[in-house]
Amino acid sequence: MHIEISLSLPRERESVSAVRRIISGAMAEVGVESSCAADVELALTEGCANVVRHATSTDRYRVTFQLDRRAAKIVIADTGKGFALNGTHH
């Protein structure tokens, strides 16, 4: 089974728990082992919380979650200005 969920969220603290509940429910529905689901939820929570805290030049962000029998993939994107890392703009 392959699941893909794409969400556009407001850059507000409450959105972090909302997206975590949605993704957690999807993983439970397909029977993802609880320890793996907990790891995914932690990564998702940290990534979304970072956007809410630091992406001040945008009011929304997007989360795309893909799940199949082998792997989960999370993409968290915002339209903020980015930052310089080792002299390169990201």
Side-chain angles (χ1 to χ4, degrees):
M1 175 182 291
H2 177 82
I3 294 175
E4 184 170 330
I5 298 170
S6 184
L7 301 165
S8 176
L9 301 150
R11 194 181 59 82
E12 299 172 358
R13 189 170 35 100
E14 295 81 14
S15 70
V16 177
S17 59
V19 71
R20 187 177 58 237
R21 282 192 306 273
I22 292 166
I23 301 306
S24 175
M27 290 189 294
E29 187 66 31
V30 298
V32 173
E33 184 180 314
S34 62
S35 65
C36 290
D39 290 344
V40 170
E41 288 176 40
L42 177 61
L44 177 69
T45 300
E46 290 296 318
C48 291
N50 282 340
V51 169
V52 169
R53 233 183 340 261
H54 301 295
T56 57
S57 63
T58 184
D59 62 347
R60 298 194 72 76
Y61 67 103
R62 178 166 293 281
V63 173
T64 303
F65 175 75
Q66 297 174 344
L67 177 68
D68 62 31
R69 295 195 186 276
R70 298 176 302 139
K73 178 181 177 183
I74 303 168
V75 176
I76 302 169
D78 64 70
T79 57
K81 294 187 311 188
F83 56 92
L85 179 64
N86 298 329
T88 350
H89 197 264
H90 293 274

